[in-house]
Amino acid sequence: MASKFLKIATVYFVLAIILGIVMGITKAFQYASVHAHLNLAGWVTLAIIGLIYRAYPQAAQNKLATWHFWLHNIGLPLMQGCLFLMILTGTESFVVGTIIGSLVLGLGIVFFFINVWKTVRD
Ligand code: HEM
Ligand code: HEM
């Protein structure tokens, strides 16, 4: 899973940087939270996890790692996509998607936590 985490991390990086540049040029600072989370919960977090799985291959080859991968990569786009649409359109009901996305992402992170405690040893 190490290379999968690293590769998907770069997708968030590209999206977050494009958004950051557009935000800067158009002075659309209301999207700062979307930009921040794509960069930090997307690029930075997933790249670190990719490197952790390279350092501890036994942690990368189990169902917890696979489940975390999918929950993170469904939850984060859902959470931030809905937040983006909520800010863009002013439609409050998009918050439901943001909440569901954050819960899915949070569950994935719990799986990552369990995986690290179960499998990472010196
Ligand atoms: C070309 C690269 C980038 C551009 C043009 C850019 C642009 C911006 C802009 C315009 C803001 C809003 C500032 C404001 O509201 O006052 C911002 C906020 C932020 N950026 Fe970036 N950014 C870039 C790269 C990054 C990277 C690589 C990271 C992290 C790995 C990052 C993390 C953040 C965070 C955490 C905030 C929110 C700060 C706060 O709430 O005070 N940015 N960025
Ligand atoms: C389920 C996961 C998460 C939820 C629900 C969440 C929620 C939030 C909320 C509600 C804010 C305040 C936003 C605002 O003031 O506009 C915030 C800000 C922030 N969060 Fe998160 N967060 C999550 C995960 C993370 C992760 C994993 C990181 C870093 C690795 C992170 C970094 C930040 C930063 C740097 C800010 C301040 C920047 C900004 O929004 O302007 N968050 N988060």
Side-chain angles (χ1 to χ4, degrees):
M1 294 301 287
S3 60
K4 284 201 175 121
F5 272 88
L6 271 175
K7 280 183 179 160
I8 198 81
T10 63
V11 175
Y12 291 106
F13 197 19
V14 171
L15 290 175
I17 293 305
I18 292 171
L19 179 60
I21 293 170
V22 174
M23 278 164 51
I25 293 170
T26 61
K27 299 193 172 65
F29 302 124
Q30 67 270 31
Y31 299 105
S33 190
V34 178
H35 163 78
H37 286 92
L38 291 180
N39 257 323
L40 295 172
W43 159 236
V44 177
T45 301
L46 293 175
I48 290 172
I49 292 171
L51 295 177
I52 290 171
Y53 286 161
R54 182 88 177 124
Y56 298 95
Q58 73 274 24
Q61 286 143 7
N62 61 46
K63 286 213 167 84
L64 286 167
T66 308
W67 271 99
H68 169 228
F69 180 86
W70 287 109
L71 291 172
H72 203 114
N73 290 298
I74 292 168
L76 182 58
L78 180 63
M79 173 186 166
Q80 293 307 317
C82 287
L83 182 58
F84 180 87
L85 288 174
M86 189 165 73
I87 299 166
L88 179 73
T89 64
T91 311
E92 286 285 325
S93 50
F94 276 117
V95 77
V96 176
T98 308
I99 293 169
I100 294 170
S102 66
L103 293 172
V104 172
L105 171 60
L107 182 64
I109 291 169
V110 171
F111 283 10
F112 173 66
F113 167 82
I114 297 169
N115 189 14
V116 167
W117 279 82
K118 267 180 79 171
T119 60
V120 171
R121 280 181 201 88
D122 290 325

